[in-house]
């Protein structure tokens, strides 16, 4: 029901994966000495470095002794750290609830605003009164003219799911639409089933007759 | 009606775990680089935690074992990330059919795989002769593991599969999942 950064995750995992695969494959070909014969066969006019060559020469050590190189390195590190933190923060699931509905927006005659959280609370309360429903969580998105209701319902394992959905559609969504005086743009319901439990409708009848 | 495609409740995995691990590694690398850089600017020398490993890496040749292992590890990690990014992954919920029309323009009803497993297990538990039951859902397949003390394992399996299939179909699962059960007779 809460929204996650699926597209962001998949895009960056794919990009980083591609970079690592290309870099790893190229490095492996160079390190094992397989790059030379391969490049000769394909006719590319570039001779790869010998496998006996040092990974980093004196030029690298000299470069990292220069102050401006150190500053650039630290800045690159800072950018990496900020990107990493931003990506980590994007993993927190978000409700993306609507901003307060503007029911009347004429500044001259007065502004009327409605917090969708209040409507969501009312929807949850009403949904919990439906037979078989043990829990409900609602989020209202969109606008006052085109509201979208997303509802997570937890039902008892003996409840008829179609009956509950019928009641949600008719009564809960109907009440919300009536209160906003508009059709819902979208009604989305996620059904969950609570853990089975022994309740008062089950009794044990011991052999011999008496009921406990 | 708007032409924008609605975000469906039935979604594929968002790859939060691999993304969090990679993001944490990137953050750690960035923070360590900043700390090392600032330390170099303040003291005039790279910290020994950086200069010692950097010195030993710089002394390695391109064909050294370290270089081969490092590039192979990069290749394997890259393949893992690529698969995580590209492979769609299974749905964690199933579509339900339900009422449409007024008062909503669009409707979207789903039931989580956990809920399907609980519905199936609860229904199987009501079948006479069933002692214990476990259920799991993978794709459109519901697997039940039933334990009984009865010798009529085949008959119990038939009743469990029939009753669970009827219940899930009646719940409005669209399309109805395939139900299978393995029945184990418990020794008395």
């Amino acid at each position: 029901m809460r929204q996650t950064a699926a597209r962001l995750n998949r895009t960056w995992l794919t990009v980083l994966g591609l970079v690592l695969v290309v870099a790893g494959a190229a490095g492996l070909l160079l390190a094992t000495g397989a790059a030379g014969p391969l490049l000769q066969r394909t006719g590319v006019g570039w001779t790869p470095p010998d496998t006996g060559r040092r990974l980093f020469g004196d030029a690298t050590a000299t470069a990292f002794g220069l102050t401006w190189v150190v500053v650039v390195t630290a800045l690159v590190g800072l950018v990496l750290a900020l990107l990493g933190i931003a990506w980590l923060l994007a993993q927190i699931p978000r409700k993306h609830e609507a901003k307060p509905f503007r029911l009347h927006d004429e500044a001259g005659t007065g502004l009327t605003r409605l917090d969708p959280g209040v409507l969501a609370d009312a929807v949850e309360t009403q949904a919990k009164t439906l037979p078989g429903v043990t829990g409900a969580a609602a989020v209202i998105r969109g606008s006052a003219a085109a509201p979208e209701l997303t509802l997570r319902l937890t039902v008892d394992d003996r409840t008829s799911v179609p009956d509950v959905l019928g009641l949600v559609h008719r009564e809960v969504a109907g009440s919300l639409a009536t209160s906003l005086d508009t059709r819902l743009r979208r009604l989305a319901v996620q059904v969950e089933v609570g853990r089975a439990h022994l309740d008062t409708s089950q009794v044990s009848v011991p052999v011999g007759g008496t009921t406990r | 009606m708007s032409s924008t495609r609605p975000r469906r409740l039935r979604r594929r995995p968002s790859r939060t775990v691999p993304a969090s691990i990679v993001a944490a590694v990137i953050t750690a690398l960035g923070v360590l680089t900043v700390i090392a850089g600032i330390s170099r600017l303040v003291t005039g020398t790279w910290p020994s935690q950086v200069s010692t490993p950097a010195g030993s890496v710089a002394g390695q040749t391109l064909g050294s074992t370290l270089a081969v292992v490092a590039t192979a590890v990069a290749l394997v990690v890259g393949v893992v990330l690529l698969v995580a990014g590209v492979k769609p992954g299974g749905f964690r919920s199933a579509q339900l059919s339900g009422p449409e029309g007024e008062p909503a323009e669009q409707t979207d009803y789903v039931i989580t795989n956990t809920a399907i497993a609980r519905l199936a297990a609860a229904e199987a538990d009501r079948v006479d002769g069933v002692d214990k039951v476990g259920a799991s859902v993978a794709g459109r397949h519901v697997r039940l593991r039933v334990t009984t003390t009865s010798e009529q394992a085949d008959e119990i399996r038939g009743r469990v599969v029939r009753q669970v299939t009827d219940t899930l179909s009646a719940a409005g699962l669209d399309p109805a999942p395939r139900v299978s059960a393995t029945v184990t007779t418990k020794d008395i």
Side-chain angles (χ1 to χ4, degrees):
Chain A
M1 206 167 82
R2 285 173 185 254
Q3 294 171 346
T4 51
R7 196 174 297 172
L8 176 88
N9 290 349
R10 286 181 177 277
T11 304
W12 280 107
L13 287 173
T14 306
V15 169
L16 291 174
L18 271 175
V19 169
L20 281 175
V21 164
V22 171
L28 202 57
L29 286 173
L30 289 171
T32 54
L38 194 71
L39 289 173
Q40 262 184 352
R41 267 207 301 276
T42 52
V44 178
W46 180 69
T47 310
D50 188 71
T51 52
R53 184 175 157 175
R54 283 174 63 192
L55 282 175
F56 301 104
D58 293 335
T60 312
T62 310
F64 277 98
L66 299 172
T67 304
W68 72 267
V69 174
V70 178
V71 171
V72 169
T73 306
L75 285 176
V76 169
L78 183 67
V79 170
L80 271 181
L82 292 176
L83 286 175
I85 289 167
W87 197 5
L88 273 176
L89 290 176
Q91 304 311 311
I92 301 168
R94 284 169 170 72
K95 279 171 86 172
H96 288 140
E97 199 173 39
K99 297 288 177 200
F101 290 153
R102 284 73 152 180
L103 299 178
H104 297 286
D105 229 0
E106 292 280 334
T109 54
L111 304 171
T112 308
R113 297 193 172 196
L114 176 61
D115 181 2
V118 174
L119 286 173
D121 287 346
V123 165
E124 286 172 8
T125 306
Q126 188 181 8
K128 283 175 192 168
T129 63
L130 300 178
V133 175
T134 57
V139 178
I140 295 175
R141 302 187 177 106
S143 62
E148 299 176 16
L149 170 62
T150 305
L151 190 60
R152 188 178 64 224
L153 281 183
T154 307
V155 300
D156 189 84
D157 60 29
R158 284 169 294 162
T159 305
S160 163
V161 175
D163 288 354
V164 170
L165 291 182
L167 288 171
V168 166
H169 184 263
R170 199 168 53 250
E171 294 183 11
V172 179
S175 300
L176 180 64
T178 305
S179 66
L180 289 170
D181 196 22
T182 185
R183 289 179 80 193
L184 298 187
R185 168 92 171 76
R186 184 164 175 261
L187 166 65
V189 183
Q190 179 179 308
V191 178
E192 295 190 0
V193 174
R195 288 184 185 280
H197 57 279
L198 192 73
D199 63 17
T200 51
S201 62
Q202 290 183 326
V203 293
S204 300
V205 183
V207 177
T210 48
T211 304
R212 288 184 193 183
Chain B
M1 189 188 282
S2 165
S3 62
T4 52
R5 199 171 142 208
R7 197 178 158 94
R8 309 288 299 183
L9 272 184
R10 187 170 180 245
R11 295 176 202 146
R12 296 190 182 276
S14 56
R15 302 295 187 218
T16 304
V17 174
S20 300
I21 293 170
V22 175
V25 169
I26 289 174
T27 307
L29 274 177
V31 169
L32 291 175
T33 307
V34 171
I35 291 171
I38 290 171
S39 174
R40 163 68 179 76
L41 289 172
V42 172
T43 63
T45 54
W46 287 100
S48 59
Q49 292 91 337
V50 174
S51 58
T52 311
S56 55
V57 169
Q60 300 286 327
T61 59
L62 191 57
S64 64
T65 311
L66 179 76
V68 173
V69 170
T71 51
V73 167
L75 185 63
V76 171
V77 172
V79 170
V80 171
L81 296 188
L82 203 54
V83 169
V86 173
K87 196 180 170 202
F91 287 110
R92 287 176 184 170
S93 54
Q95 208 69 45
L96 282 173
S97 54
E100 293 176 5
E102 288 294 339
E105 284 177 26
Q106 298 168 7
T107 53
D108 182 15
Y109 305 110
V110 300
I111 182 166
T112 60
N113 287 354
T114 311
I116 296 172
R118 282 182 183 163
L119 269 185
E123 189 56 37
D125 196 45
R126 285 177 209 126
V127 174
D128 184 36
V130 170
D131 190 45
K132 214 166 83 177
V133 64
S136 60
V137 177
R140 288 174 182 164
H141 193 180
V142 178
R143 287 188 181 84
L144 294 156
R145 296 169 305 283
V146 175
T147 309
T148 178
T149 50
S150 167
E151 296 291 324
Q152 313 296 319
D154 286 343
E155 192 195 321
I156 288 174
R157 182 190 300 113
R159 273 191 286 151
V160 164
V161 169
R162 198 167 50 249
Q163 227 162 293
V164 171
T165 304
D166 289 349
T167 299
L168 296 182
S169 299
L173 276 160
D174 183 24
R178 194 158 56 88
V179 179
S180 65
T182 51
V183 179
T184 311
T185 303
K186 201 162 69 176
D187 291 332
I188 304 168

